[in-house]
Amino acid sequence: MSVMKRVSLIFRAKANRALDRMEDPRETLDYSYQQQVEMLTRVRRGVADVATSRKRVELQMNSLQKEVTRRDNQARDALAKNREDLARAALQSKASLQGQLNDLQVQYSSLQEQEEKLTLASQRLQAKVDAFRTRKETIKATYTAAEAQTRINEAFSGISEEMGDIGLAIQRAEDKTAQMQARAGAIDELLASGALEDHVGGTPDHIQAELDQIGAGSGIEAELARMRGELEASAPRQIESSANGDAPGSTGAPTAERPQAGDGS
Amino acid sequence: MIVRILGEGQFKVGDEAAAKLAVLDKDLDAAVEASDEAAFKAVLGASARLVRESGTRVPDEEFVTADFILPFADATVAEVRKLLADGKIPGDAVGLT
C-alpha cells in the first residue's frame, strides 16, 4: 500500500479516536482550542531551544577558528626559525582542529535550517489557530449541538492534522537539539580541559613553548641585525645595504623574462 | 486532491499532478520496502517538488484533511518506517503527548 495514503490514514485515525472520546461536540471546540494554544507555546519554545543550540555551536566555531589560526601562525613562525618538526606538529594539530570545525559547520547549517522550518511552522499554526477560534465562535453561535456535529468534526479533523504535523516537527527538532548538545558538550569539555591547546604533545602547548624559547634567543639576534642595519643606513657607505636590497629587486626582473623562456620550450 | 507535506502544510493539487503523485507513491513504497535510502530520497524529493510547484496552498481558514501525506521532505527510510509501524503522532488536538 502507498506510503502517502498510509500516513494520511494514521493522522485520520488519531483525530477520529480523539473525537470519539468527546461527549458534547461543542465542548470539543473549547478543549481543542486550549490544546492548540498550548501547542503554540511548545513550538515557540522549540524554536528558542534550537536557536540556543545554534548559538552555542557558533561560539564553539569561533573558538576553534581562533585555535586553527593560532596553529597556522605557529607553523609559519616555526618554519621561519628553521624548525620544520615544530611546524609539522602545528600543522597536524591544525588539521585535526579544522576537521572538527568543518564538522561543526555542517551541524550549524542543519540547526539553522531546522530553526527556519520550525519558525515557519509556528507561523502556520498561529494562523490556523486564529482561524479555528473564529470558526469555533461561529459554530457555537449559529448551530445547536446536534447541527454542529458535522462542522465540528471538520474543523477538528483539520486542526488535528495540523497539530500532528507540528508535533512531529517539534519532536524532530528536539531530537536534533539533543544530538547537538551531546556533541557540543564534548567539544566544550575539550576546550575547557585545554586539550585543544595541544593535540600533539602531552604538556600544554609544547609547540608554543619551544617557539617562545627560540623566540627569546632569535629576538635578540633580530634586534641586533636591525640596529646594525640602522647604523649602516646612517653611514655614507651604501655597498652592504645595496647587497641586501638585491633580493627583493631581483624578483621583478625574471618574471618579465619568463614568458620568453616558456615560448621556447 | 489535498496533499500535506509534513513540516510544510497543505496543498490543493490538480488531477494531473495527483495521478503523477500516485505513481511516485508506489516508487516511494518500493524504496521503503527495499530500504533503498538513495531511491527514497530521490522519489520523496520529486514528490515534494511536484506538490509545491503544481499545488496551491490551502488557505488557513479552510479546515480539511489531506488525502495524501508526504513525510518531511528530508526524512529517512528509518523515520518513515517508524511512523508507519507505531503510528504515533505527538500532540493531536485533544491530548498532548
Side-chain angles (χ1 to χ4, degrees):
Chain A
M1 198 184 170
S2 101
V3 172
M4 300 176 202
K5 189 77 209 164
R6 270 191 286 172
V7 177
S8 84
L9 289 179
I10 289 171
F11 273 75
R12 234 172 258 192
K14 177 111 185 171
N16 288 341
R17 274 200 303 275
L19 265 175
D20 288 345
R21 284 205 299 269
M22 288 293 160
E23 284 172 11
D24 178 355
R26 286 189 292 189
E27 228 174 70
T28 318
L29 290 173
D30 287 324
Y31 186 66
S32 175
Y33 182 69
Q34 280 173 25
Q35 302 298 316
Q36 291 162 35
V37 172
E38 262 184 56
M39 189 61 130
L40 268 175
T41 310
R42 260 186 76 190
V43 72
R44 287 192 188 121
R45 202 166 48 223
V47 171
D49 286 348
V50 177
T52 306
S53 193
R54 177 181 56 76
K55 279 174 200 148
R56 186 175 180 195
V57 170
E58 197 174 346
L59 288 176
Q60 290 187 326
M61 280 165 63
N62 290 343
S63 303
L64 276 176
Q65 184 56 59
K66 268 185 211 146
E67 285 297 313
V68 166
T69 309
R70 201 167 68 88
R71 287 308 193 199
D72 192 81
N73 289 337
Q74 281 178 343
R76 282 167 207 280
D77 197 12
L79 264 189
K81 286 165 183 162
N82 284 324
R83 287 291 306 269
E84 205 181 310
D85 59 327
L86 283 181
R88 197 177 296 276
L91 288 179
Q92 270 164 3
S93 169
K94 181 190 160 189
S96 147
L97 291 166
Q98 187 67 54
Q100 276 172 313
L101 187 58
N102 294 347
D103 185 43
L104 278 187
Q105 181 67 58
V106 173
Q107 302 306 320
Y108 184 82
S109 307
S110 148
L111 281 173
Q112 212 171 17
E113 200 186 318
Q114 194 77 238
E115 192 181 333
E116 281 163 17
K117 279 186 186 163
L118 212 52
T119 304
L120 285 176
S122 97
Q123 287 164 359
R124 256 201 330 273
L125 183 63
Q126 176 73 67
K128 205 81 195 170
V129 169
D130 289 345
F132 186 91
R133 194 185 53 226
T134 310
R135 176 72 59 103
K136 169 170 87 83
E137 295 313 319
T138 311
I139 292 173
K140 282 207 286 191
T142 324
Y143 299 94
T144 64
E147 285 170 337
Q149 188 68 66
T150 320
R151 294 176 189 267
I152 289 170
N153 284 4
E154 213 179 73
F156 183 83
S157 303
I159 198 76
S160 172
E161 191 183 297
E162 194 70 40
M163 296 272 276
D165 185 343
I166 301 278
L168 285 173
I170 295 175
Q171 201 175 54
R172 282 184 119 220
E174 280 170 354
D175 287 352
K176 184 126 246 161
T177 310
Q179 273 173 22
M180 270 319 299
Q181 253 150 11
R183 299 173 81 116
I187 290 182
D188 271 347
E189 262 173 49
L190 262 178
L191 283 165
S193 71
L196 283 180
E197 293 280 299
D198 189 17
H199 268 255
V200 189
T203 53
D205 202 353
H206 80 117
I207 299 173
Q208 195 56 49
E210 285 203 42
L211 284 173
D212 287 348
Q213 215 168 5
I214 302 167
S218 68
I220 292 165
E221 289 303 319
E223 198 160 2
L224 278 172
R226 187 174 54 78
M227 286 175 171
R228 233 178 254 129
E230 279 170 10
L231 281 172
E232 278 159 8
S234 62
R237 282 199 302 150
Q238 294 291 318
I239 305 155
E240 274 197 38
S241 58
S242 74
N244 288 341
D246 238 340
S250 61
T251 51
T255 46
E257 288 162 15
R258 241 165 232 152
Q260 288 173 348
D263 290 343
S265 68
Chain B
M1 187 170 81
I2 305 293
V3 181
R4 175 182 289 276
I5 304 175
L6 286 184
E8 296 178 38
Q10 289 178 327
F11 298 81
K12 248 177 217 156
V13 169
D15 290 347
E16 202 185 317
K20 279 187 200 162
L21 203 59
V23 175
L24 285 168
D25 197 13
K26 284 206 180 75
D27 295 342
L28 198 64
D29 194 43
V32 171
E33 285 300 314
S35 290
D36 186 343
E37 201 72 60
F40 176 80
K41 198 175 151 82
V43 179
L44 182 58
S47 307
R49 268 196 305 279
L50 176 70
V51 174
R52 286 186 208 121
E53 283 163 18
S54 67
T56 50
R57 283 204 162 272
V58 172
D60 296 321
E61 58 280 2
E62 259 181 55
F63 289 89
V64 285
T65 47
D67 303 287
F68 271 9
I69 297 184
L70 262 82
F72 290 93
D74 61 346
T76 59
V77 169
E79 217 179 323
V80 171
R81 271 179 190 280
K82 189 169 175 289
L83 179 63
L84 291 174
D86 64 22
K88 269 191 203 149
I89 299 158
D92 71 0
V94 170
L96 285 173
T97 48

